[in-house]
Amino acid sequence: MSAQNTAAPHGANARRGPFRVGDRVQLTDEKRRINTITLEAGGEFHTHQGVLSHDLIIGTSEGSVVENVEGVRYQMLRPLAKDFVLSMPRGAAVVYPKDAAQIIQFGDIFPGARVVEAGVGSGALSISLLRAVGDQGYLHSYERREEFADIARGNIATVFGGEHPAWNLSIGDFQEKVLEIEEPGSVDRVVLDMLSPWECLDAVATVLAPGGVWTNYVATVTQMSRVVEAIRASGQFTEPDCFETMVRGWHVDGLAVRPDHRMVAHTAFLITTRRLADAQEGIPKAKRMKEHGYSAEDLNAWTREHDAEQWTESALGERGISPKKLRRAAKDANRPNRVREGDNVSDTEN
């Protein structure tokens, strides 16, 4: 058994077996309220309904039910990756689990793959990519802001119990740094989560191997349009595929079966395309000829000739992040046993 544990993938041992000191535990009460705690010897979880000793949890099996001093019952489970992502310290908005799942599947992120991504943000997508490529894979993340990188380092170390052997992180502009670090044609997959990914087209075309997949994660229709038109104009990639994912839960109680009142609707658009071999001309999308109601000036304003200075967070409707919030998130992400008693984890992604 010990030899098997030694060979287990990075972070796997912390996700199986009885609860141990330092484990994160998700407590669900009889009203389905969820709190996440980090186990400490002699620690206590306090609510208005009484006190629960951590020592009652340590050594018990996952999936058990425990009672506090007032007889309040709690179901105990380890948080899933999606639970952690939705409650972890963050500076930038995170890539939601529903989108990360689509990126892994449609981007064909496989064990052992060589993947590069930008920007890393709070590390939510990096966690999913590392789980997909595994210990023998390669993920190089590029981030422009050191504050975001600090938060990502802490969050990734928390999930995997330390540094992941497949992860590398560089600070700087992706389109410049990736050409310094990666050999031409050496990368299997590229994933970009940034304001203006079209600026990285030449860099992506250089490092991505023929047949490799490039996935873009963008928030607005204007970004999606400009990325797609730039990819088409380059002639180095296949016809892009664009889509978004919406998740709607259902209420199921006997004969009372209906959609939930709330749902996770639009978060972002995903755009995927594949690298063609050098000096090859792609097959364009078949178009039915029809009259357009817009002029060439309209098209230029909408796509390639739009003033680059207008592509800012505020122009795209994204709120800025204060330096104070970033410092606080980085401190929380890198603090040992940082999951506080009483931290709520929602059952939905809203």
Side-chain angles (χ1 to χ4, degrees), residues 103-104 109 115 117 125-133 139 191:
I103 290 171
I104 297 300
I109 311 298
V115 182
E117 69 157 338
L125 180 57
S126 303
I127 291 169
S128 295
L129 293 173
L130 287 170
R131 287 160 62 99
V133 302
L139 174 64
V191 182

Side-chain angles (χ1 to χ4, degrees), residues 23-52:
D23 281 355
R24 297 188 309 281
V25 181
Q26 195 177 77
L27 302 175
T28 305
D29 66 15
E30 295 172 350
K31 293 185 177 180
R32 297 196 58 78
R33 291 175 298 202
I34 299 175
N35 289 278
T36 302
I37 64 173
T38 299
L39 294 178
E40 300 177 359
E44 293 180 332
F45 171 57
H46 292 256
T47 72
H48 68 283
Q49 294 180 302
V51 179
L52 174 63

Side-chain angles (χ1 to χ4, degrees), residues 96-109 215 243-247 270 272:
Y96 272 70
K98 72 180 182 70
D99 294 320
Q102 299 296 320
I103 290 171
I104 297 300
Q105 183 65 33
F106 286 89
D108 192 42
I109 311 298
T215 303
F243 61 97
E244 62 178 332
T245 303
M246 300 183 185
V247 176
L270 294 180
T272 62

Side-chain angles (χ1 to χ4, degrees), residues 86-304:
L86 295 174
S87 63
M88 70 186 192
R90 63 182 70 175
V94 299
V95 174
Y96 272 70
K98 72 180 182 70
D99 294 320
Q102 299 296 320
I103 290 171
I104 297 300
Q105 183 65 33
F106 286 89
D108 192 42
I109 311 298
F110 58 90
R114 290 183 58 85
V115 182
V116 296
E117 69 157 338
V120 68
S122 301
L125 180 57
S126 303
I127 291 169
S128 295
L129 293 173
L130 287 170
R131 287 160 62 99
V133 302
D135 291 5
Q136 304 305 314
Y138 173 88
L139 174 64
H140 203 129
S141 303
Y142 296 83
E143 173 56 55
R144 296 177 61 184
R145 302 179 64 171
E146 182 67 48
E147 311 97 295
F148 288 166
D150 285 341
I151 298 170
R153 291 188 188 101
N155 287 330
I156 289 172
T158 298
V159 167
F160 294 104
E163 295 183 2
H164 195 285
W167 193 48
N168 300 274
L169 175 63
S170 294
I171 306 299
D173 289 331
F174 172 82
Q175 59 266 44
E176 298 174 1
K177 297 291 292 185
V178 73
L179 296 177
E180 298 174 4
I181 296 173
E182 312 295 344
E183 294 292 331
S186 65
V187 173
D188 298 310
R189 305 290 184 259
V190 175
V191 182
L192 300 186
D193 172 14
M194 56 200 311
L195 288 174
S196 50
W198 52 86
E199 296 178 351
C200 303
L201 193 148
D202 290 339
V204 172
T206 299
V207 302
L208 190 59
V213 181
W214 177 17
T215 303
N216 290 283
Y217 176 94
V218 296
T220 68
V221 170
T222 48
Q223 289 171 290
M224 177 175 63
S225 175
R226 185 161 185 183
V227 173
V228 169
E229 295 299 338
I231 290 172
R232 285 173 176 161
S234 76
Q236 298 171 293
F237 299 89
T238 61
E239 175 66 20
D241 292 320
C242 310
F243 61 97
E244 62 178 332
T245 303
M246 300 183 185
V247 176
R248 182 175 69 177
W250 280 72
H251 170 87
V252 181
D253 186 6
L255 296 179
V257 181
R258 56 168 174 75
D260 283 341
H261 296 305
R262 300 173 64 191
M263 68 176 291
V264 182
H266 174 76
T267 49
F269 298 104
L270 294 180
I271 306 157
T272 62
T273 185
R274 301 185 67 178
R275 178 71 161 94
L276 296 171
D278 290 339
Q280 297 298 306
E281 183 177 349
I283 300 175
K285 179 180 179 180
K287 293 183 179 180
R288 183 188 307 174
M289 297 303 295
K290 61 181 180 180
E291 294 184 3
H292 293 290
Y294 53 79
S295 65
E297 290 76 12
D298 293 331
L299 183 61
N300 288 333
W302 181 260
T303 57
R304 291 183 293 277

Side-chain angles (χ1 to χ4, degrees), residues 312-350:
T312 63
E313 291 180 346
S314 58
L316 293 170
E318 299 184 10
R319 291 183 297 177
I321 303 168
S322 69
K324 181 178 179 180
K325 179 180 179 180
L326 289 174
R327 289 193 298 269
R328 182 171 64 248
K331 182 178 179 180
D332 288 344
N334 288 278
R335 186 173 63 216
N337 299 331
R338 60 174 176 71
V339 181
R340 300 186 301 273
E341 294 182 346
D343 281 353
N344 289 326
V345 179
S346 173
D347 279 336
T348 69
E349 293 180 355
N350 281 10

